[in-house]
Amino acid sequence: MQPRSPSDPGQAAVPPGAVVVTGGARGIGAAIADRLAADGWRVVVIDREESSRHPTVVGDAGDPAVTAGAIAAAPVPLRGWVNNAAVFEDADLHDDAGRVRQLVDRNLAPALVGTTTALRAFLAHGTTGAIVNVSSHQASRPVAGAAPYSIAKAAIEGLTRATAVDYGRLGIRANAVALGSIRTERLDASLEPALAGVHALGRVGEPVEVADVVAFLLSERASFISGAIIPVDGGRSARGPDAEARTVGPEPNPTRGGAPGLSA
């Protein structure tokens, strides 16, 4: 990927190419796939169920045969890959190390296999490309009782940095987004008020807000960003709940679309 001149207004002058989005049939992955398609990407989804809007390779994103099938299904050369697929199951470290390891692998394998597949495609076509991994605030600040997920996400952030370092000289970029709580079908609505309170913005995020950042990181506008872990967490990782904390400033204005804000 060649540097843009300062006068370049932003987006590339040619269509971006093909992009694979794992876990793209619903939730955050679906929002990412929709946004990328709107930006001109030729989207291929990998998921255990069919996407209602994009060509889909049905299967396990951690299976090399499935990821190879996604490359074959792409109508144009691959230029982007989004590792979004994840498993949300818990196990206690003191109970069963084997079960913990299994769950770590189920979250790490799709990112590792996806990255390997993308790199091979970029190298085979002699093209530059970008990879975005979906991580979590839990990679650096684990939530109690979610050890396998936290361990896997920390490893995915290490994978992101290693990919950026090893392949940057070839114009291949790798970045990650570290998410806070995002409103999807798996979010327990009864917990939303409490979850909102641990984010500095006072609310949970929306899938489209994640999609916007992923789209930017895949675009030419992010041509000098690589090896970065971008928090998309409403300030959750920056805020540390503390018994001595005090409220600063006026109360939020509820008339501003339901989002916290200051009165005029």
Side-chain angles (χ1 to χ4, degrees), residues 192-214:
E192 185 168 332
L195 288 172
V198 300
H199 296 74
L201 290 181
R203 63 177 178 87
V204 301
E206 301 292 341
V208 294
E209 294 176 302
V210 178
D212 286 344
V213 180
V214 172

Side-chain angles (χ1 to χ4, degrees), residues 89-201:
E89 293 184 35
D90 297 331
D92 294 333
L93 290 168
H94 68 277
D95 278 343
D96 187 346
R99 178 60 176 161
V100 171
R101 181 176 178 179
Q102 180 186 55
L103 290 174
V104 169
D105 185 64
R106 287 178 63 189
N107 273 299
L108 178 58
L112 182 58
V113 172
T115 296
T116 298
T117 303
L119 290 171
R120 288 176 175 171
F122 298 153
L123 296 175
H125 287 97
T127 60
T128 59
I131 298 168
V132 177
N133 294 319
V134 176
S135 183
S136 167
H137 68 97
Q138 291 200 52
S140 56
R141 295 186 64 179
V143 170
Y149 187 75
S150 298
I151 294 167
K153 290 303 186 182
I156 287 170
E157 293 190 2
L159 171 65
T160 301
R161 297 186 183 97
T163 304
V165 169
D166 286 352
Y167 296 94
R169 64 186 178 83
L170 301 174
I172 297 170
R173 298 184 298 106
N175 294 289
V177 288
L179 308 187
S181 298
I182 307 298
R183 184 181 288 110
T184 65
E185 61 187 42
R186 65 170 296 274
L187 183 71
D188 186 340
S190 68
L191 294 178
E192 185 168 332
L195 288 172
V198 300
H199 296 74
L201 290 181

Side-chain angles (χ1 to χ4, degrees), residues 38-118:
D39 285 352
W41 289 88
R42 304 296 294 275
V43 176
V44 177
V45 164
I46 296 176
D47 208 314
R48 294 184 180 276
E49 60 187 77
E50 289 278 353
S51 167
S52 62
R53 295 183 293 278
H54 307 287
T56 308
V57 176
V58 176
D60 181 355
D63 182 346
V66 172
T67 59
I71 297 294
V76 294
L78 187 79
R79 296 298 300 274
W81 191 285
V82 181
N83 286 311
N84 168 72
V87 174
F88 302 95
E89 293 184 35
D90 297 331
D92 294 333
L93 290 168
H94 68 277
D95 278 343
D96 187 346
R99 178 60 176 161
V100 171
R101 181 176 178 179
Q102 180 186 55
L103 290 174
V104 169
D105 185 64
R106 287 178 63 189
N107 273 299
L108 178 58
L112 182 58
V113 172
T115 296
T116 298
T117 303

